[in-house]
Amino acid sequence: MNDEYLTITDKTGEGYYTEKRSKFLAFAHHVDTTDDIKALLASYRKKYYDARHVCYAYMLGPERTEFRANDDGEPSSTAGKPILGQINSRELTNVLVVVVRYYGGVNLGTGGLIVAYREAAADALANAETVSRQVEEVIDYSFSYPAMNEVMRIVKELSPRIVSQTFDNTCQIRLAIRKSMAAQLRKRLDSII
């Protein structure tokens, strides 16, 4: 089971490409939800209100199954697909790449547009820092206070990330662990009497 994926850090990667006086400004962002994407797209449309096109592509989820490419008025498949192609060629996910185009007065043709959007997106992704992340599973566990030492010993040995914990008459702990180790953690916690 593959429980790792590649994405970029929260630092925005910026790219630039120019062809026949048309300017292509590219921005690569780490995103986790479609709401993040909508908010970023709205901010770019507002900030670059005078631009001719705000094209984008994104990929979401560790399985890389949720994606979209948008040409924003450019000829079909000349903007969004080349941007998405750059995300795919790097095998990234949880990434949004936005390319803002200022029209320079000269038509580039479909081939020229494809190259321009591809190169701008590639530049933005090249200037973003790629990181490997783990697919985690969250486990909630309730236990009595006397079992505290045993629970903490298991936590120390398997090193899950402690999301939250409450210690009272009945204690509760929420742990996040690499998906491939979740069954082992559950088994160990369930063995506590």
Side-chain angles (χ1 to χ4, degrees):
M1 174 201 309
N2 187 10
D3 57 3
E4 281 190 313
Y5 61 93
L6 291 174
T7 188
I8 62 174
T9 61
D10 289 331
K11 182 180 169 285
T12 303
E14 295 186 10
Y16 179 78
Y17 185 80
T18 183
E19 180 72 30
K20 296 181 181 170
R21 295 196 314 261
S22 279
K23 292 179 184 148
F24 298 84
L25 312 175
F27 306 92
H29 292 273
H30 174 82
V31 290
D32 290 311
T33 65
T34 52
D35 289 338
D36 294 348
I37 292 165
K38 288 174 187 168
L40 282 165
L41 289 173
S43 72
Y44 278 109
R45 288 204 168 95
K46 185 175 180 180
K47 184 175 180 179
Y48 297 102
Y49 65 91
D50 55 341
R52 182 67 67 92
H53 305 280
V54 179
C55 304
Y56 65 91
Y58 66 80
M59 179 72 67
L60 286 176
E63 300 85 28
R64 302 180 76 243
T65 53
E66 189 178 346
F67 59 90
R68 181 155 186 219
N70 187 302
D71 296 319
D72 192 39
E74 291 283 25
S76 181
S77 301
T78 59
K81 271 192 176 171
I83 297 168
L84 185 61
Q86 289 303 306
I87 295 170
N88 282 331
S89 71
R90 290 167 171 78
E91 297 180 353
L92 297 171
T93 190
N94 290 8
V95 173
L96 166 70
V97 178
V98 179
V99 180
V100 177
R101 179 187 183 193
Y102 282 98
Y103 184 62
V106 179
N107 289 337
L108 303 180
T110 55
L113 286 172
I114 290 169
V115 168
Y117 281 102
R118 183 183 65 220
E119 293 303 315
D123 194 27
L125 289 168
N127 290 320
E129 186 182 342
T130 302
V131 291
S132 178
R133 297 250 169 101
Q134 296 175 353
V135 179
E136 291 184 326
E137 193 168 314
V138 176
I139 297 172
D140 290 314
Y141 185 68
S142 297
F143 56 97
S144 61
Y145 194 80
M148 171 77 70
N149 286 344
E150 186 69 19
V151 170
M152 288 306 165
R153 187 172 59 74
I154 292 169
V155 167
K156 186 176 183 203
E157 288 172 6
L158 296 180
S159 302
R161 183 169 53 86
I162 299 173
V163 177
S164 65
Q165 53 192 3
T166 308
F167 303 121
D168 209 356
N169 290 339
T170 301
C171 303
Q172 295 190 338
I173 192 165
R174 174 172 272 195
L175 303 168
I177 191 163
R178 190 178 187 140
K179 199 172 185 97
S180 60
M181 294 180 66
Q184 181 184 357
L185 177 61
R186 267 201 191 87
K187 185 178 176 185
R188 293 275 307 269
L189 289 172
D190 290 344
S191 71
I192 297 173
I193 299 171

